[in-house]
Amino acid sequence: MARKDPRPQVNRRKFLAGVAVAGAATAVSPSPDVANAATTATSLTGPGRAMPSAQRPSAHVAAVETATPQALPRAQTPDGSDFMVDVIKTLNIDYLPSNPASSFRGLHESLINYGKNTKPEFLTCTHEESAVAMSHGYFKVAGKPLLTLCHGTVGLQHASMAIYNAWCDRVPVIVVGGNELDAAKRPPGVPTFHSAQDINALVRDFTKWDDTPVSLQHFAQSMVRAYKIAMTPPHGPVAISLDAGLQQEPNHSNGERLYIPRYVPTSPPAGDYGAVREAARMLANAERPVIVVDRAARTPNGIKLLIELAEALQAAVVDQGGRMNFPKTHHLSRPATVIGQADVIIGMELSDYWATVNAWIDNGEHGHGLQESRIKQGTKLISISSVDLNTKANYQDFQRFQVVDVQMAADAEATLPALIEAVKAAIPASAKAAIEKRGEALRKAKVEGRERTLATAAIAWDASPISTARLTMELWAQIKDLDWSFVGSDRQMSNWASRLWPMEKHYHHLGGPGGYGVGYSLPASVGAALANRGTGRFSVSLQTDGDFMYAPGVLWTAAHHQIPLLSVMHNNRGYHQEVMHVQRLSNRRDRVASLGKTLGPIGTSIEAPDIDYAKMAASMGWWSAGPIKDPSELAPTLKRAVEVVKSGQPALVDVWTQPR
Ligand SMILES: Cc1ncc(C[n+]2csc(CCOP(=O)(O)OP(=O)(O)O)c2C)c(N)n1
Ligand SMILES: [Mg+2]
């Protein structure tokens, strides 16, 4: 049904035509049409008030909009961007989350019209950071990268934090930035503001590779190379600066036939044979070996391999949670405290080995941290990490330097088959009984630990605002019979979901942003939900308020593209992480933060006015409810929300919670 426009009916074409005439003649006296239009508009605002309803267009704008368009010369051959689409289609990329811009209009037009908007399908994004973070979340479920087009300087500036998160989280995202390279042909004005000699310089410190193709054949090679580099472990983001001129250049190849190089995946680097055997010998002869993993399971097969290694040794496994590495339900899954008892530790794809074996305590004597070892003297350390092959100098994601006894610059998952074999071969027959006993002790500790966790979770069960454990378990009650995928974060909720939900499959937990750039969770959960769509899985997220507010427009993207996701808010009405930081310093300086007048120290609360997240979500097409403050209301509301999501729509439930 056509919607009735309540605004005054002013014929814009006539209005402009009048201006064009007036503009050409005197540029001041409006034509009768203009005068009428102005009267119609101003009569709404009160008698006698001659307020124009809109800025009068310039004569130039009026001429452009009203003149009969002149036929432009038609392209005689397909433009270069059609060939670019042919190249992109060979890479089997499903989606293109992007915000539109003129610097890539040639490729945009080719993708939707020549490429029929499939593989990749354009997903309209309201912010470049959201677009890249969606790709980030998508990859962690689907294992496939997406492509994002960015507008020259400004689009890439917006995208940069999300690219940094992907870099730190070892996730491939492919970013193509439009740029008007040729200064002699570049349109003056805005496009020139949005151009640079080298847009990739913005992100070069945290991308694996970048390029600026200057011919169509160059583009074909660089696109396939970019994909290949991004997808070779350690995975990471790549950037291509795409000249606007090249997109509109006729599709020719300077006499040579254009070709598209075939993509053949590069096999990941496995650990050196001697180092693998030495590590196996140390593990097999250890009394208390501990396996610590962060991004070790790159694929679902990585989880199986880790189970095999852990069971061969009956070794405790500490999952630092960068990925879903090891089933939480397994009797060998243990908390980080076991590290203190270890005599041999093997760390796999750890983002911070130093902090794994050292404790750092804030606010020491001189305002610096205190540090102490977490491990016994003489504990031997082994590392397998592909990131050792990919270090850059400026950004400090490589963390503090840690001395390690056996260090393999290699991909953990690719090394595991050889390591498992070597460990099994190295276990002396005499050790078998002791290994079994070790397993039994860990099984008992697991059961006891579970009871302690449940008892802690019950504390303040009826509190309002609602306890984070209660919220987590009320949510669990509604999804436990579904094939659920947890696409959010529980880090700011005392990790209750990781401690209480039976996480076993790779899509049960996706880990965090990598670089801890806030504003990741909301768009990444939408991207992950997109990857789950159509698989029969139910996507559920726990969503903090501060993170939500960075770029909430991704809610609209989810509704517009019908991405089913249940987002349940951990709305603690503040940037609680920072509440704790400022509070800590106030304590140290013996001062009362903000004189106790606000929920948190000034600058850390998100209240007065309290944001109505349910209304925000509803305005962007989501089913929504809340804010819920009474825990007894959770179950019925979540139940309804689950039904909505099962029907294929996104739903948000806003819940007022305790800080952690
Ligand atoms: C882009 C960015 N800006 C600021 C920070 C600092 N920071 C770390 S945690 C945090 C609070 C986030 O608030 P919310 O998402 O509501 O989580 P909460 O701590 O309240 O549970 C902030 C602002 C950051 N990590 N990233
Ligand atoms: Mg918060």
mmCIF file of all heavy atoms in Angstrom, residues 277-316:
data_model
loop_
_atom_site.group_PDB
_atom_site.id
_atom_site.type_symbol
_atom_site.label_atom_id
_atom_site.label_comp_id
_atom_site.label_asym_id
_atom_site.label_seq_id
_atom_site.Cartn_x
_atom_site.Cartn_y
_atom_site.Cartn_z
ATOM 1 N N ARG A 277 59.639 -33.860 18.517
ATOM 2 C CA ARG A 277 60.053 -35.039 19.304
ATOM 3 C C ARG A 277 60.556 -34.636 20.689
ATOM 4 O O ARG A 277 60.295 -35.316 21.685
ATOM 5 C CB ARG A 277 61.144 -35.796 18.546
ATOM 6 C CG ARG A 277 60.558 -36.486 17.320
ATOM 7 C CD ARG A 277 61.046 -37.865 17.170
ATOM 8 N NE ARG A 277 62.499 -37.897 17.300
ATOM 9 C CZ ARG A 277 63.239 -38.930 16.976
ATOM 10 N NH1 ARG A 277 62.666 -40.016 16.501
ATOM 11 N NH2 ARG A 277 64.534 -38.900 17.108
ATOM 12 N N GLU A 278 61.268 -33.516 20.760
ATOM 13 C CA GLU A 278 61.768 -33.044 22.054
ATOM 14 C C GLU A 278 60.593 -32.657 22.965
ATOM 15 O O GLU A 278 60.559 -33.005 24.150
ATOM 16 C CB GLU A 278 62.703 -31.843 21.821
ATOM 17 C CG GLU A 278 63.221 -31.152 23.065
ATOM 18 C CD GLU A 278 64.097 -32.042 23.954
ATOM 19 O OE1 GLU A 278 64.345 -33.202 23.586
ATOM 20 O OE2 GLU A 278 64.491 -31.566 25.048
ATOM 21 N N ALA A 279 59.626 -31.961 22.389
ATOM 22 C CA ALA A 279 58.435 -31.574 23.164
ATOM 23 C C ALA A 279 57.702 -32.818 23.649
ATOM 24 O O ALA A 279 57.265 -32.896 24.817
ATOM 25 C CB ALA A 279 57.509 -30.713 22.300
ATOM 26 N N ALA A 280 57.567 -33.806 22.787
ATOM 27 C CA ALA A 280 56.845 -35.038 23.140
ATOM 28 C C ALA A 280 57.563 -35.750 24.285
ATOM 29 O O ALA A 280 56.917 -36.251 25.224
ATOM 30 C CB ALA A 280 56.756 -35.944 21.918
ATOM 31 N N ARG A 281 58.878 -35.776 24.221
ATOM 32 C CA ARG A 281 59.660 -36.443 25.273
ATOM 33 C C ARG A 281 59.423 -35.746 26.627
ATOM 34 O O ARG A 281 59.187 -36.402 27.647
ATOM 35 C CB ARG A 281 61.154 -36.399 24.900
ATOM 36 C CG ARG A 281 62.049 -37.314 25.706
ATOM 37 C CD ARG A 281 63.516 -37.015 25.467
ATOM 38 N NE ARG A 281 63.898 -35.624 25.713
ATOM 39 C CZ ARG A 281 64.019 -35.064 26.921
ATOM 40 N NH1 ARG A 281 63.812 -35.772 28.014
ATOM 41 N NH2 ARG A 281 64.343 -33.787 27.053
ATOM 42 N N MET A 282 59.433 -34.417 26.602
ATOM 43 C CA MET A 282 59.219 -33.670 27.851
ATOM 44 C C MET A 282 57.812 -33.918 28.415
ATOM 45 O O MET A 282 57.631 -34.123 29.614
ATOM 46 C CB MET A 282 59.427 -32.159 27.604
ATOM 47 C CG MET A 282 60.887 -31.796 27.395
ATOM 48 S SD MET A 282 61.102 -30.201 26.544
ATOM 49 C CE MET A 282 60.546 -29.073 27.770
ATOM 50 N N LEU A 283 56.824 -33.905 27.537
ATOM 51 C CA LEU A 283 55.432 -34.101 27.982
ATOM 52 C C LEU A 283 55.212 -35.521 28.500
ATOM 53 O O LEU A 283 54.572 -35.731 29.537
ATOM 54 C CB LEU A 283 54.458 -33.821 26.825
ATOM 55 C CG LEU A 283 54.306 -32.352 26.420
ATOM 56 C CD1 LEU A 283 53.645 -32.235 25.051
ATOM 57 C CD2 LEU A 283 53.498 -31.577 27.469
ATOM 58 N N ALA A 284 55.775 -36.485 27.781
ATOM 59 C CA ALA A 284 55.552 -37.888 28.142
ATOM 60 C C ALA A 284 56.185 -38.225 29.494
ATOM 61 O O ALA A 284 55.704 -39.106 30.210
ATOM 62 C CB ALA A 284 56.106 -38.790 27.043
ATOM 63 N N ASN A 285 57.245 -37.525 29.827
ATOM 64 C CA ASN A 285 57.944 -37.828 31.082
ATOM 65 C C ASN A 285 57.573 -36.874 32.221
ATOM 66 O O ASN A 285 58.142 -36.970 33.311
ATOM 67 C CB ASN A 285 59.451 -37.808 30.849
ATOM 68 C CG ASN A 285 59.872 -38.978 29.965
ATOM 69 O OD1 ASN A 285 59.786 -40.136 30.368
ATOM 70 N ND2 ASN A 285 60.250 -38.687 28.728
ATOM 71 N N ALA A 286 56.636 -35.998 31.971
ATOM 72 C CA ALA A 286 56.258 -35.024 33.013
ATOM 73 C C ALA A 286 55.382 -35.688 34.064
ATOM 74 O O ALA A 286 54.657 -36.636 33.781
ATOM 75 C CB ALA A 286 55.502 -33.869 32.365
ATOM 76 N N GLU A 287 55.459 -35.138 35.277
ATOM 77 C CA GLU A 287 54.556 -35.631 36.321
ATOM 78 C C GLU A 287 53.207 -34.919 36.231
ATOM 79 O O GLU A 287 52.164 -35.506 36.431
ATOM 80 C CB GLU A 287 55.177 -35.366 37.693
ATOM 81 C CG GLU A 287 55.860 -36.597 38.246
ATOM 82 C CD GLU A 287 56.582 -36.280 39.535
ATOM 83 O OE1 GLU A 287 55.963 -35.616 40.395
ATOM 84 O OE2 GLU A 287 57.754 -36.680 39.643
ATOM 85 N N ARG A 288 53.285 -33.625 35.979
ATOM 86 C CA ARG A 288 52.051 -32.845 35.858
ATOM 87 C C ARG A 288 52.113 -31.949 34.622
ATOM 88 O O ARG A 288 52.319 -30.734 34.733
ATOM 89 C CB ARG A 288 51.853 -31.987 37.095
ATOM 90 C CG ARG A 288 51.563 -32.816 38.319
ATOM 91 C CD ARG A 288 51.104 -31.949 39.422
ATOM 92 N NE ARG A 288 50.826 -32.746 40.598
ATOM 93 C CZ ARG A 288 49.987 -32.385 41.540
ATOM 94 N NH1 ARG A 288 49.347 -31.261 41.434
ATOM 95 N NH2 ARG A 288 49.798 -33.144 42.581
ATOM 96 N N PRO A 289 51.919 -32.530 33.465
ATOM 97 C CA PRO A 289 51.914 -31.694 32.254
ATOM 98 C C PRO A 289 50.612 -30.904 32.163
ATOM 99 O O PRO A 289 49.554 -31.413 32.554
ATOM 100 C CB PRO A 289 52.004 -32.726 31.127
ATOM 101 C CG PRO A 289 51.404 -33.977 31.701
ATOM 102 C CD PRO A 289 51.653 -33.952 33.176
ATOM 103 N N VAL A 290 50.697 -29.684 31.686
ATOM 104 C CA VAL A 290 49.488 -28.868 31.485
ATOM 105 C C VAL A 290 49.507 -28.324 30.054
ATOM 106 O O VAL A 290 50.535 -27.827 29.578
ATOM 107 C CB VAL A 290 49.404 -27.716 32.512
ATOM 108 C CG1 VAL A 290 48.269 -26.753 32.157
ATOM 109 C CG2 VAL A 290 49.190 -28.261 33.921
ATOM 110 N N ILE A 291 48.366 -28.445 29.401
ATOM 111 C CA ILE A 291 48.216 -27.932 28.028
ATOM 112 C C ILE A 291 47.422 -26.627 28.115
ATOM 113 O O ILE A 291 46.323 -26.611 28.669
ATOM 114 C CB ILE A 291 47.451 -28.956 27.156
ATOM 115 C CG1 ILE A 291 48.213 -30.288 27.105
ATOM 116 C CG2 ILE A 291 47.196 -28.407 25.762
ATOM 117 C CD1 ILE A 291 47.388 -31.452 26.528
ATOM 118 N N VAL A 292 48.002 -25.548 27.603
ATOM 119 C CA VAL A 292 47.290 -24.264 27.610
ATOM 120 C C VAL A 292 47.019 -23.861 26.160
ATOM 121 O O VAL A 292 47.936 -23.866 25.330
ATOM 122 C CB VAL A 292 48.112 -23.157 28.316
ATOM 123 C CG1 VAL A 292 47.275 -21.893 28.474
ATOM 124 C CG2 VAL A 292 48.609 -23.631 29.672
ATOM 125 N N VAL A 293 45.759 -23.553 25.864
ATOM 126 C CA VAL A 293 45.382 -23.253 24.474
ATOM 127 C C VAL A 293 44.594 -21.944 24.400
ATOM 128 O O VAL A 293 43.816 -21.625 25.288
ATOM 129 C CB VAL A 293 44.524 -24.405 23.883
ATOM 130 C CG1 VAL A 293 45.405 -25.574 23.489
ATOM 131 C CG2 VAL A 293 43.439 -24.883 24.849
ATOM 132 N N ASP A 294 44.837 -21.209 23.321
ATOM 133 C CA ASP A 294 44.098 -19.950 23.146
ATOM 134 C C ASP A 294 43.397 -19.929 21.781
ATOM 135 O O ASP A 294 42.175 -19.860 21.705
ATOM 136 C CB ASP A 294 45.054 -18.765 23.296
ATOM 137 C CG ASP A 294 44.331 -17.450 23.469
ATOM 138 O OD1 ASP A 294 43.082 -17.455 23.494
ATOM 139 O OD2 ASP A 294 44.997 -16.396 23.590
ATOM 140 N N ARG A 295 44.205 -20.002 20.694
ATOM 141 C CA ARG A 295 43.583 -20.099 19.356
ATOM 142 C C ARG A 295 44.081 -21.347 18.648
ATOM 143 O O ARG A 295 44.389 -21.329 17.460
ATOM 144 C CB ARG A 295 43.910 -18.862 18.522
ATOM 145 C CG ARG A 295 43.322 -17.601 19.080
ATOM 146 C CD ARG A 295 43.467 -16.406 18.160
ATOM 147 N NE ARG A 295 42.946 -15.243 18.843
ATOM 148 C CZ ARG A 295 43.671 -14.482 19.652
ATOM 149 N NH1 ARG A 295 44.953 -14.736 19.845
ATOM 150 N NH2 ARG A 295 43.118 -13.455 20.263
ATOM 151 N N ALA A 296 44.187 -22.443 19.394
ATOM 152 C CA ALA A 296 44.804 -23.658 18.849
ATOM 153 C C ALA A 296 43.886 -24.372 17.864
ATOM 154 O O ALA A 296 44.344 -24.870 16.838
ATOM 155 C CB ALA A 296 45.188 -24.591 19.983
ATOM 156 N N ALA A 297 42.581 -24.431 18.179
ATOM 157 C CA ALA A 297 41.658 -25.151 17.290
ATOM 158 C C ALA A 297 41.155 -24.176 16.225
ATOM 159 O O ALA A 297 40.194 -23.450 16.422
ATOM 160 C CB ALA A 297 40.502 -25.741 18.086
ATOM 161 N N ARG A 298 41.820 -24.196 15.082
ATOM 162 C CA ARG A 298 41.420 -23.319 13.967
ATOM 163 C C ARG A 298 40.148 -23.832 13.314
ATOM 164 O O ARG A 298 39.395 -23.086 12.709
ATOM 165 C CB ARG A 298 42.517 -23.326 12.904
ATOM 166 C CG ARG A 298 43.460 -22.187 12.919
ATOM 167 C CD ARG A 298 44.284 -22.174 11.639
ATOM 168 N NE ARG A 298 45.107 -23.357 11.457
ATOM 169 C CZ ARG A 298 44.832 -24.332 10.601
ATOM 170 N NH1 ARG A 298 43.743 -24.305 9.852
ATOM 171 N NH2 ARG A 298 45.647 -25.374 10.481
ATOM 172 N N THR A 299 39.958 -25.152 13.383
ATOM 173 C CA THR A 299 38.803 -25.786 12.738
ATOM 174 C C THR A 299 38.211 -26.781 13.743
ATOM 175 O O THR A 299 38.866 -27.103 14.746
ATOM 176 C CB THR A 299 39.231 -26.560 11.468
ATOM 177 O OG1 THR A 299 39.930 -27.741 11.886
ATOM 178 C CG2 THR A 299 40.127 -25.737 10.558
ATOM 179 N N PRO A 300 37.024 -27.318 13.464
ATOM 180 C CA PRO A 300 36.457 -28.313 14.388
ATOM 181 C C PRO A 300 37.398 -29.502 14.590
ATOM 182 O O PRO A 300 37.426 -30.103 15.666
ATOM 183 C CB PRO A 300 35.166 -28.734 13.696
ATOM 184 C CG PRO A 300 34.780 -27.549 12.866
ATOM 185 C CD PRO A 300 36.065 -26.921 12.418
ATOM 186 N N ASN A 301 38.201 -29.830 13.588
ATOM 187 C CA ASN A 301 39.129 -30.953 13.743
ATOM 188 C C ASN A 301 40.179 -30.668 14.816
ATOM 189 O O ASN A 301 40.684 -31.590 15.469
ATOM 190 C CB ASN A 301 39.808 -31.259 12.397
ATOM 191 C CG ASN A 301 40.521 -32.584 12.431
ATOM 192 O OD1 ASN A 301 39.971 -33.571 12.926
ATOM 193 N ND2 ASN A 301 41.752 -32.619 11.939
ATOM 194 N N GLY A 302 40.496 -29.403 15.005
ATOM 195 C CA GLY A 302 41.470 -29.031 16.044
ATOM 196 C C GLY A 302 40.990 -29.448 17.427
ATOM 197 O O GLY A 302 41.788 -29.846 18.289
ATOM 198 N N ILE A 303 39.675 -29.375 17.665
ATOM 199 C CA ILE A 303 39.118 -29.776 18.966
ATOM 200 C C ILE A 303 39.359 -31.272 19.165
ATOM 201 O O ILE A 303 39.820 -31.708 20.223
ATOM 202 C CB ILE A 303 37.605 -29.448 19.044
ATOM 203 C CG1 ILE A 303 37.384 -27.946 18.828
ATOM 204 C CG2 ILE A 303 37.017 -29.904 20.381
ATOM 205 C CD1 ILE A 303 35.920 -27.506 18.835
ATOM 206 N N LYS A 304 39.096 -32.053 18.112
ATOM 207 C CA LYS A 304 39.289 -33.510 18.204
ATOM 208 C C LYS A 304 40.754 -33.836 18.494
ATOM 209 O O LYS A 304 41.061 -34.708 19.317
ATOM 210 C CB LYS A 304 38.910 -34.162 16.869
ATOM 211 C CG LYS A 304 37.443 -34.255 16.630
ATOM 212 C CD LYS A 304 37.196 -35.179 15.435
ATOM 213 C CE LYS A 304 35.818 -34.934 14.870
ATOM 214 N NZ LYS A 304 35.731 -35.196 13.448
ATOM 215 N N LEU A 305 41.657 -33.150 17.819
ATOM 216 C CA LEU A 305 43.086 -33.431 18.005
ATOM 217 C C LEU A 305 43.528 -33.085 19.428
ATOM 218 O O LEU A 305 44.309 -33.822 20.047
ATOM 219 C CB LEU A 305 43.915 -32.644 16.982
ATOM 220 C CG LEU A 305 43.764 -33.085 15.523
ATOM 221 C CD1 LEU A 305 44.412 -32.090 14.572
ATOM 222 C CD2 LEU A 305 44.380 -34.485 15.319
ATOM 223 N N LEU A 306 43.017 -31.988 19.954
ATOM 224 C CA LEU A 306 43.397 -31.611 21.327
ATOM 225 C C LEU A 306 42.894 -32.635 22.334
ATOM 226 O O LEU A 306 43.583 -32.954 23.315
ATOM 227 C CB LEU A 306 42.858 -30.217 21.662
ATOM 228 C CG LEU A 306 43.717 -29.059 21.149
ATOM 229 C CD1 LEU A 306 42.994 -27.737 21.303
ATOM 230 C CD2 LEU A 306 45.070 -29.021 21.884
ATOM 231 N N ILE A 307 41.692 -33.157 22.099
ATOM 232 C CA ILE A 307 41.164 -34.197 22.997
ATOM 233 C C ILE A 307 42.101 -35.411 22.952
ATOM 234 O O ILE A 307 42.448 -35.990 23.992
ATOM 235 C CB ILE A 307 39.724 -34.602 22.598
ATOM 236 C CG1 ILE A 307 38.772 -33.418 22.771
ATOM 237 C CG2 ILE A 307 39.250 -35.805 23.412
ATOM 238 C CD1 ILE A 307 37.360 -33.654 22.236
ATOM 239 N N GLU A 308 42.545 -35.738 21.754
ATOM 240 C CA GLU A 308 43.407 -36.925 21.613
ATOM 241 C C GLU A 308 44.727 -36.732 22.368
ATOM 242 O O GLU A 308 45.189 -37.630 23.077
ATOM 243 C CB GLU A 308 43.650 -37.184 20.126
ATOM 244 C CG GLU A 308 44.065 -38.615 19.850
ATOM 245 C CD GLU A 308 44.280 -38.886 18.368
ATOM 246 O OE1 GLU A 308 43.706 -38.163 17.522
ATOM 247 O OE2 GLU A 308 45.042 -39.828 18.076
ATOM 248 N N LEU A 309 45.313 -35.553 22.223
ATOM 249 C CA LEU A 309 46.587 -35.291 22.921
ATOM 250 C C LEU A 309 46.381 -35.311 24.437
ATOM 251 O O LEU A 309 47.146 -35.935 25.183
ATOM 252 C CB LEU A 309 47.154 -33.934 22.490
ATOM 253 C CG LEU A 309 48.440 -33.511 23.215
ATOM 254 C CD1 LEU A 309 49.606 -34.420 22.804
ATOM 255 C CD2 LEU A 309 48.803 -32.056 22.941
ATOM 256 N N ALA A 310 45.335 -34.601 24.887
ATOM 257 C CA ALA A 310 45.094 -34.500 26.329
ATOM 258 C C ALA A 310 44.826 -35.874 26.932
ATOM 259 O O ALA A 310 45.339 -36.211 28.012
ATOM 260 C CB ALA A 310 43.919 -33.560 26.595
ATOM 261 N N GLU A 311 44.055 -36.682 26.223
ATOM 262 C CA GLU A 311 43.708 -38.006 26.776
ATOM 263 C C GLU A 311 44.918 -38.940 26.784
ATOM 264 O O GLU A 311 45.089 -39.735 27.711
ATOM 265 C CB GLU A 311 42.528 -38.608 26.010
ATOM 266 C CG GLU A 311 41.230 -37.864 26.328
ATOM 267 C CD GLU A 311 39.992 -38.453 25.659
ATOM 268 O OE1 GLU A 311 40.152 -39.327 24.776
ATOM 269 O OE2 GLU A 311 38.873 -38.020 26.008
ATOM 270 N N ALA A 312 45.776 -38.819 25.757
ATOM 271 C CA ALA A 312 46.978 -39.662 25.733
ATOM 272 C C ALA A 312 47.827 -39.393 26.974
ATOM 273 O O ALA A 312 48.440 -40.293 27.537
ATOM 274 C CB ALA A 312 47.769 -39.398 24.463
ATOM 275 N N LEU A 313 47.848 -38.136 27.387
ATOM 276 C CA LEU A 313 48.683 -37.752 28.542
ATOM 277 C C LEU A 313 47.891 -37.687 29.851
ATOM 278 O O LEU A 313 48.487 -37.567 30.915
ATOM 279 C CB LEU A 313 49.285 -36.358 28.289
ATOM 280 C CG LEU A 313 50.374 -36.248 27.231
ATOM 281 C CD1 LEU A 313 50.543 -34.806 26.798
ATOM 282 C CD2 LEU A 313 51.696 -36.796 27.784
ATOM 283 N N GLN A 314 46.547 -37.703 29.742
ATOM 284 C CA GLN A 314 45.692 -37.373 30.890
ATOM 285 C C GLN A 314 46.197 -36.071 31.533
ATOM 286 O O GLN A 314 46.408 -35.980 32.745
ATOM 287 C CB GLN A 314 45.637 -38.526 31.897
ATOM 288 C CG GLN A 314 44.865 -39.740 31.382
ATOM 289 C CD GLN A 314 43.380 -39.434 31.128
ATOM 290 O OE1 GLN A 314 42.720 -38.808 31.942
ATOM 291 N NE2 GLN A 314 42.867 -39.859 29.984
ATOM 292 N N ALA A 315 46.407 -35.069 30.658
ATOM 293 C CA ALA A 315 46.918 -33.770 31.113
ATOM 294 C C ALA A 315 45.769 -32.777 31.229
ATOM 295 O O ALA A 315 44.838 -32.801 30.423
ATOM 296 C CB ALA A 315 47.941 -33.246 30.105
ATOM 297 N N ALA A 316 45.863 -31.907 32.221
ATOM 298 C CA ALA A 316 44.863 -30.847 32.371
ATOM 299 C C ALA A 316 44.973 -29.888 31.184
ATOM 300 O O ALA A 316 46.078 -29.610 30.702
ATOM 301 C CB ALA A 316 45.102 -30.092 33.670
#
